[in-house]
Amino acid sequence: MGYLIKLVKMARPYWKYLVVSGISMLAITALNLLGPWLVRDLTGIITNISKYPNAKRMIINISLILILSYILRIVFQFLNSYLSHYAAWNLVAHVRTLVYSKLQQLSFGYFVDKQTGQLMSRVVNDTANFEVLIAHAVPELFTNSLIILGVACILFIINPVLAALSLIPIPFLILSGTVFAKKILPNFREAQKALADLNADLQDNLSGIREIQIFNKQEKELLKIKEKIYRHINALLSALKLSAIFHPTVSFLSSVGTVIVVSFGGLMALRGKVPVQDIVGFILYLSMFYQPVTQLSQVIENVQQALAGAERVFEILETESEIKEKENAQKLKNVQGKITFENVSFSYNPEVQVLKNISFEILPGQMVAFVGPTGVGKTTIMYLLNRFYDPDSGTIKIDDIDIKDVTLKSLHDNISMVMQDVFLFNGTVAQNIAYGKENATMDEIIQAAKIACAHDFIQNLPQGYDTVIGERGVKLSGGQKQRLAIARAVLKNAPILILDEATSSVDTETEKEIQEAINNLAGTRTILIIAHRLSTVKKADKIIVLKDGEIVEMGTHEELFAKKGLYYHLCSVQLIDENNSLIREV
Ligand SMILES: Nc1ncnc2c1ncn2[C@@H]1O[C@H](COP(=O)(O)OP(=O)(O)OP(=O)(O)O)[C@@H](O)[C@H]1O
């Protein structure tokens, strides 16, 4: 119920449309009730024409009123249908925007155990339930109740005995409606769920189509997808089977009501107890009576369904981000690029501590490399600097300001990061580089590409900077993707640049070039490099060596090499000597 109130509050901007739509709905109901009454009157005149001296005039008048009522009904139906849909879809659009915007604000930790498909379904499908609620379920609940009440009153006014008789099928209709809502609708929903599963699996498989081919898993995957396809179809068919039984049953029960009225009414008419016009009126009203009774339980089910969707949507909207900005957070301005970690410890989950008491200081403009065995926590340090996660203890400062005291936007404005697994958007090369800076000029884009050693290969692409690179940059090689990502980060021109394995996919020649470009950037900004290939970090002002989540060595290449500790060991494994040349040929 709480969600319904929240939803009503959200729909407030559209109340004018909903009120006009509601009034139109009342008018439609009244006109629907008027029609049979007029036909009944018309029948009364025709069957007793001798009683009405001005019968012709009356027939014409009634016919005109009937036509007018039908025309008015069209107008009100348009207003009701369009305005309720207008309000409902606008509300859906508003909520979808809110949910997406909220998702963008949630921290990294939130997404770790969520499937993309699940979240997409919340943004798109669950919100679509609101349209059903506002444009269909609530209006139908309202109109159906009104019609049932109105028709019942009219039937009892026309003839209480016949009215009482026509109520006989009602318990059976309510029963079958309830069965429909309880048994058939869940089946349809099961089919919908199966379709969502099929979509999620298809999305996964199509993204991994190369892996399927490489590992020759076509048959296995085909079976899996086929099973999902048939699960959906079978769920749909069993729902349709029940539905195919239900609808004729409802028509039969409604016809029974009509038969009761016709037979009993006929007998009563023979005895002169009921005029023919009342029988006609009865039959017309009955057709309006039984349908809403049957629909009522379906409508209630729809409302419940929409509320379940609302619950899932509000769950996201009300999720508190683990990373909270302080109320009086200041903007991080004029950053020089000093970075300080003071006794920082961190764990993703309580069982494993990833970083233990990490402390270091990086001066503005320094180039610092983080090295160490895989999984030691290098990337995690960069995540903490970006405040994607908060440390369990310790403080991280930029220019001596605790990053918890600054706005997240200004923090991210001052850090440029090339991640390990590069993500590029489906667009042109130029658009992808320009992602680093709004309104970047073509000259700036080309300049950034040149720094990242990407200009030459871009020029050789079929449409140069206008080449569309495909989903996730599928049309580019690993090294090309990395260089675009570097260009994007360079264009952002932030005072702190992080390169996490940014040159792992390029050949040694290109790596040298990129290295030179990075060296050229050195001094103009603080640069943090994570690299497994130690030849790339030799020029760093400081090398921080990590092991088991702790800093074990810190110094320049020469200092650490001379120390003959872990760094020396890592270098010798990679056959690098203190002058950064191979110790021996392999
Ligand atoms: N979201 C997460 N949830 C739980 N554990 C995580 C998560 N991300 C990383 N880890 C774990 O934290 C540890 C440190 O990971 P991190 O990516 O920082 O290492 P790394 O030194 O950058 O490794 P590599 O050199 O292989 O990139 C690893 O053991 C990893 O399994």
Side-chain angles (χ1 to χ4, degrees):
M1 199 61 189
Y3 293 122
L4 192 62
I5 294 168
K6 283 178 191 167
L7 204 60
V8 168
K9 279 188 186 158
M10 275 186 170
R12 214 183 283 156
Y14 314 106
W15 69 267
K16 279 185 215 156
Y17 304 102
L18 291 171
V19 166
V20 178
S21 163
I23 293 171
S24 309
M25 198 167 60
L26 285 176
I28 297 166
T29 312
L31 289 170
N32 279 341
L33 294 177
L34 177 70
W37 193 269
L38 292 175
V39 175
R40 172 179 167 270
D41 282 354
L42 205 61
T43 318
I45 296 166
I46 296 165
T47 48
N48 294 295
I49 207 106
S50 52
K51 275 195 199 166
Y52 300 95
N54 54 349
K56 198 172 157 193
R57 184 76 252 149
M58 286 173 83
I59 290 171
I60 292 171
N61 282 349
I62 289 176
S63 306
L64 285 176
I65 296 172
L66 256 181
I67 288 176
L68 186 69
S69 80
Y70 291 147
I71 293 172
L72 276 178
R73 202 168 62 176
I74 293 176
V75 175
F76 286 122
Q77 273 172 339
F78 167 77
L79 286 175
N80 169 243
S81 168
Y82 182 66
L83 293 182
S84 63
H85 277 106
Y86 180 87
W89 281 116
N90 269 294
L91 175 67
V92 170
H94 175 60
V95 179
R96 279 180 183 166
T97 314
L98 281 181
V99 178
Y100 175 70
S101 160
K102 179 74 192 193
L103 285 173
Q104 282 198 146
Q105 288 159 20
L106 289 173
S107 56
F108 266 35
Y110 178 81
F111 296 94
V112 170
D113 53 358
K114 306 278 185 307
Q115 272 185 300
T116 315
Q118 276 177 5
L119 294 176
M120 280 175 64
S121 159
R122 301 245 178 141
V123 180
V124 181
N125 301 347
D126 288 338
T127 52
N129 282 321
F130 301 165
E131 188 270 335
V132 177
L133 185 76
I134 291 196
H136 303 278
V138 171
E140 275 172 28
L141 195 65
F142 196 52
T143 17
N144 285 350
S145 310
L146 274 181
I147 289 180
I148 292 169
L149 209 70
V151 173
C153 288
I154 293 172
L155 291 182
F156 275 94
I157 289 170
I158 298 176
N159 190 309
V161 179
L162 274 186
L165 287 171
S166 62
L167 292 183
I168 293 172
I170 296 290
F172 300 101
L173 283 170
I174 292 177
L175 185 72
S176 53
T178 313
V179 169
F180 181 86
K182 290 269 166 295
K183 293 251 183 293
I184 306 178
L185 283 187
N187 265 287
F188 275 118
R189 254 165 235 145
E190 181 55 38
Q192 235 174 332
K193 199 171 153 286
L195 185 65
D197 276 357
L198 172 65
N199 276 335
D201 273 24
L202 271 178
Q203 186 196 358
D204 212 28
N205 277 27
L206 292 175
S207 309
I209 201 92
R210 293 183 204 186
E211 279 68 19
I212 292 177
Q213 290 173 353
I214 290 166
F215 289 97
N216 252 336
K217 294 284 180 198
Q218 291 93 330
E219 258 177 55
K220 189 165 177 271
E221 294 301 333
L222 179 63
L223 276 180
K224 194 174 91 185
I225 294 293
K226 192 175 166 189
E227 197 252 323
K228 293 269 156 101
I229 290 175
Y230 277 94
R231 227 187 77 203
H232 166 235
I233 301 295
N234 290 336
L236 195 64
L237 282 177
S238 61
L240 287 172
K241 187 165 132 195
L242 290 174
S243 179
I245 299 171
F246 169 75
H247 289 293
T249 310
V250 168
S251 321
F252 172 73
L253 289 172
S254 309
S255 314
V256 169
T258 314
V259 171
I260 292 172
V261 169
V262 170
S263 51
F264 277 88
L267 288 175
M268 286 164 91
L270 276 181
R271 282 190 231 137
K273 284 187 180 165
V274 186
V276 177
Q277 73 202 68
D278 283 357
I279 310 278
V280 172
F282 242 91
I283 292 170
L284 289 175
Y285 277 117
L286 274 186
S287 61
M288 288 173 67
F289 191 45
Y290 294 138
Q291 202 197 4
V293 173
T294 329
Q295 276 179 354
L296 221 49
S297 29
Q298 291 175 45
V299 170
I300 291 167
E301 189 70 19
N302 278 342
V303 172
Q304 284 171 350
Q305 164 81 351
L307 289 181
E311 193 178 332
R312 286 191 292 268
V313 168
F314 280 105
E315 203 176 276
I316 293 186
L317 288 177
E318 286 165 9
T319 302
E320 292 263 352
S321 178
E322 282 169 25
I323 305 299
K324 286 191 195 79
E325 222 172 60
K326 282 189 182 164
E327 264 183 30
N328 53 351
Q330 48 175 310
K331 258 191 176 177
L332 188 61
K333 281 189 288 202
N334 306 321
V335 171
Q336 301 301 306
K338 182 179 171 193
I339 298 169
T340 323
F341 271 55
E342 290 169 1
N343 300 316
V344 172
S345 296
F346 175 76
S347 49
Y348 288 102
N349 43 53
E351 297 90 60
V352 195
Q353 193 168 15
V354 176
L355 296 175
K356 299 166 202 158
N357 257 340
I358 300 287
S359 296
F360 59 79
E361 187 178 82
I362 300 171
L363 297 176
Q366 273 193 333
M367 192 199 306
V368 174
F370 292 78
V371 301
T374 177
V376 82
K378 303 180 292 290
T379 302
T380 306
I381 289 177
M382 305 309 154
Y383 285 169
L384 294 182
L385 181 59
N386 271 289
R387 259 201 105 194
F388 293 149
Y389 298 91
D390 275 339
D392 301 335
S393 60
T395 315
I396 302 170
K397 291 178 181 168
I398 292 180
D399 287 0
D400 297 319
I401 303 170
D402 189 335
I403 57 170
K404 284 189 179 168
D405 293 334
V406 303
T407 63
L408 286 168
K409 182 175 183 313
S410 70
L411 175 68
H412 295 151
D413 274 345
N414 283 291
I415 303 175
S416 208
M417 182 160 170
V418 180
M419 308 253 249
Q420 228 172 68
D421 42 347
V422 169
F423 186 97
L424 296 170
F425 292 96
N426 186 14
T428 65
V429 169
Q431 282 165 350
N432 269 283
I433 299 176
Y435 207 72
K437 184 184 174 191
E438 248 167 67
N439 307 323
T441 63
M442 201 57 211
D443 282 347
E444 287 173 317
I445 292 171
I446 294 173
Q447 182 58 26
K450 280 185 178 162
I451 293 176
C453 301
H455 182 66
D456 289 346
F457 91 77
I458 294 172
Q459 276 192 318
N460 288 331
L461 291 173
Q463 276 92 38
Y465 280 85
D466 293 325
T467 309
V468 176
I469 59 169
E471 201 174 62
R472 286 179 157 256
V474 69
K475 294 185 195 167
L476 301 177
S477 74
Q480 289 172 335
K481 278 192 261 187
Q482 276 192 328
R483 279 177 279 169
L484 280 200
I486 295 174
R488 180 170 69 179
V490 166
L491 185 61
K492 187 173 170 188
N493 204 16
I496 298 170
L497 173 66
I498 301 171
L499 300 163
D500 187 352
E501 292 288 338
T503 56
S504 59
S505 308
V506 295
D507 56 47
T508 20
E509 206 49 44
T510 317
E511 184 178 31
K512 259 191 198 149
E513 285 179 38
I514 297 177
Q515 197 56 48
E516 233 172 84
I518 295 170
N519 292 345
N520 290 340
L521 290 174
T524 62
R525 65 199 76 195
T526 307
I527 303 177
L528 279 61
I529 299 177
I530 298 179
H532 278 290
R533 275 198 234 162
L534 300 180
S535 53
T536 58
V537 304
K538 199 199 140 212
K539 284 240 169 85
D541 298 302
K542 195 190 281 184
I543 297 169
I544 297 177
V545 188
L546 291 138
K547 192 186 168 203
D548 298 331
E550 285 175 297
I551 297 179
V552 288
E553 288 172 10
M554 210 179 324
T556 61
H557 172 75
E558 290 74 20
E559 285 166 5
L560 295 180
F561 203 86
K563 216 172 162 191
K564 304 233 160 158
L566 178 61
Y567 182 75
Y568 172 83
H569 170 74
L570 294 171
C571 283
S572 34
V573 172
Q574 293 185 17
L575 313 174
I576 293 166
D577 74 2
E578 59 191 309
N579 301 315
N580 196 25
S581 41
L582 292 178
I583 289 176
R584 59 177 191 277
E585 290 296 333
V586 247

